[in-house]
Amino acid sequence: MLFRSLGAPAASRLVNALNARLPQQALVKLAELIAGLGNDATKQRAAERLVEIEREMEGEEFSDWLKERLREQLRERQPDTEIDENRITAAASLNRENFITLGALPAMKHLNSETVVQDRLLEIAQLTSAEGVTGEQIEARRVKALQAMEGGVRREQVSALLDLALNAEQPMGVRDYAFDRIADARDASAITRLWPVFTDIEDWRVRWRVGSLILTLGGADVVQEFFTRLNDESYAREELYGYGERLSQMRPPPTDFINGQLRSSDWFDRIIALYFWEKRAEA
């Protein structure tokens, strides 16, 4: 591609082409090119511009532009049909969400090494309501924002992500991706807040996410305490399998300790150990 051959100077000029009214795929592609070719200053400028674009998409002027574009399309297809403004408003709302969730947020993912993007994505992930936006649309934005944070989480953002992941009132889709982003950050200090939840939570699915995250962040240093805190009467197969899989991924794997669990008086310890060796054998 010509732009790739021109390198950083071309990337700098591409920032000027970033525009809220671009097709979603074009916006994402431009951001990808800038991230791959641009120098630090160019990427910073592009990140700031993308945040501006995302905010613009949420504004009334952008919605008005979408509505007028929809009216024009309807007039071209059905010139004699009376325009239903309620349908226009509903369609514009759907289009706006597509511009945000399929354009701006995926574009921001390519520049999520920049602080301004990291901060804005977390802000969107924490959003609970917005004027003229349905709950389903808000949740979709939040999930897309958390997906876009992949690989771009700062340690000082972990506490806010824990607030999302551990809040039972949050949608499960939001919580799941918050757990993933905490794992990305590799901040072992998060374990302090995770232990009480792992010990006391009744929902096995949340316990599995928390336990797997503890093993990811703590590694071999937390394995013994992890087994000590396993004290429920029942465990889902998927949960125990997940623990065995996560333990098998540690480098070096805690082989000697796991072998000891094969002789444990607790059935769930033995099951985890067996799943551990199943995954090790596959590897």
Side-chain angles (χ1 to χ4, degrees):
M1 179 182 284
L2 177 60
F3 280 114
R4 294 192 184 280
S5 65
L6 293 175
S12 180
R13 289 193 291 273
L14 287 176
V15 177
N16 298 327
L18 295 173
N19 190 293
R21 301 183 183 186
L22 284 172
Q24 294 98 307
Q25 291 181 338
L27 185 64
V28 176
K29 189 62 180 178
L30 283 175
E32 181 184 6
L33 287 169
I34 293 167
L37 301 174
N39 56 30
D40 290 346
T42 296
K43 287 188 278 191
Q44 171 69 20
R45 191 160 62 92
E48 292 170 354
R49 178 61 184 134
L50 284 176
V51 170
E52 291 173 358
I53 285 171
E54 185 274 327
R55 291 185 183 277
E56 180 183 340
M57 289 175 177
E58 295 182 9
E60 184 177 351
E61 183 178 340
F62 188 77
S63 292
D64 289 343
W65 170 73
L66 287 172
K67 291 175 185 178
E68 184 55 34
R69 191 175 72 157
L70 289 166
R71 293 187 192 100
E72 291 174 357
Q73 292 172 352
L74 186 60
R75 292 187 192 105
E76 290 176 1
R77 293 195 305 267
Q78 303 173 22
D80 298 327
T81 300
E82 183 178 354
I83 293 176
D84 184 337
E85 287 298 328
N86 289 329
R87 292 183 62 185
I88 291 292
T89 298
S93 176
L94 180 60
N95 273 264
R96 177 198 60 211
E97 294 307 310
N98 286 337
F99 270 91
I100 293 172
T101 60
L102 302 180
L105 297 180
M108 290 164 75
K109 180 177 182 178
H110 290 292
L111 290 157
N112 69 10
S113 60
E114 303 301 316
T115 300
V116 65
V117 165
Q118 293 168 350
D119 289 344
R120 180 55 183 161
L121 290 174
L122 179 58
E123 186 179 354
I124 295 170
Q126 295 170 314
L127 191 66
T128 57
S129 63
E131 185 177 354
V133 185
T134 67
E136 184 177 349
Q137 290 171 336
I138 287 289
E139 183 175 347
R141 283 192 201 179
R142 299 176 73 190
V143 167
K144 283 291 186 180
L146 287 163
Q147 290 173 340
M149 292 180 76
E150 182 179 6
V153 175
R154 304 195 311 276
R155 288 196 170 189
E156 55 264 38
Q157 294 180 304
V158 169
S159 178
L161 290 168
L162 281 166
D163 291 341
L164 293 177
L166 301 179
N167 186 344
E169 295 182 1
Q170 296 293 334
M172 201 61 221
V174 170
R175 298 179 73 184
D176 274 336
Y177 281 105
F179 276 121
D180 289 343
R181 299 296 76 83
I182 296 164
D184 289 346
R186 290 294 193 270
D187 183 3
S189 67
I191 295 175
T192 302
R193 287 183 61 182
L194 295 173
W195 278 130
V197 179
F198 180 67
T199 303
D200 299 333
I201 194 73
E202 295 182 2
D203 186 334
W204 75 264
R205 190 170 184 274
V206 176
R207 182 177 59 202
W208 164 63
R209 291 306 313 255
V210 170
S212 298
L213 182 56
I214 288 171
L215 292 173
T216 296
L217 299 177
D221 292 340
V222 301
V223 171
Q224 185 171 348
E225 183 173 359
F226 176 84
F227 275 85
T228 300
R229 288 178 180 259
L230 291 169
N231 58 7
D232 205 342
E233 295 180 358
S234 63
Y235 287 92
R237 174 188 178 278
E238 295 88 346
E239 181 181 1
L240 299 180
Y241 180 87
Y243 297 150
E245 181 178 38
R246 190 57 53 91
L247 288 160
S248 74
Q249 295 168 346
M250 290 183 179
R251 294 295 178 270
T255 305
D256 292 341
F257 182 85
I258 295 299
N259 284 341
Q261 300 312 302
L262 290 168
R263 299 183 295 274
S264 172
S265 59
D266 292 318
W267 65 271
F268 41 80
D269 291 348
R270 300 195 298 273
I271 295 297
I272 293 173
L274 289 171
Y275 281 137
F276 168 88
W277 278 113
E278 177 184 338
K279 298 306 294 184
R280 291 291 294 160
E282 290 177 2

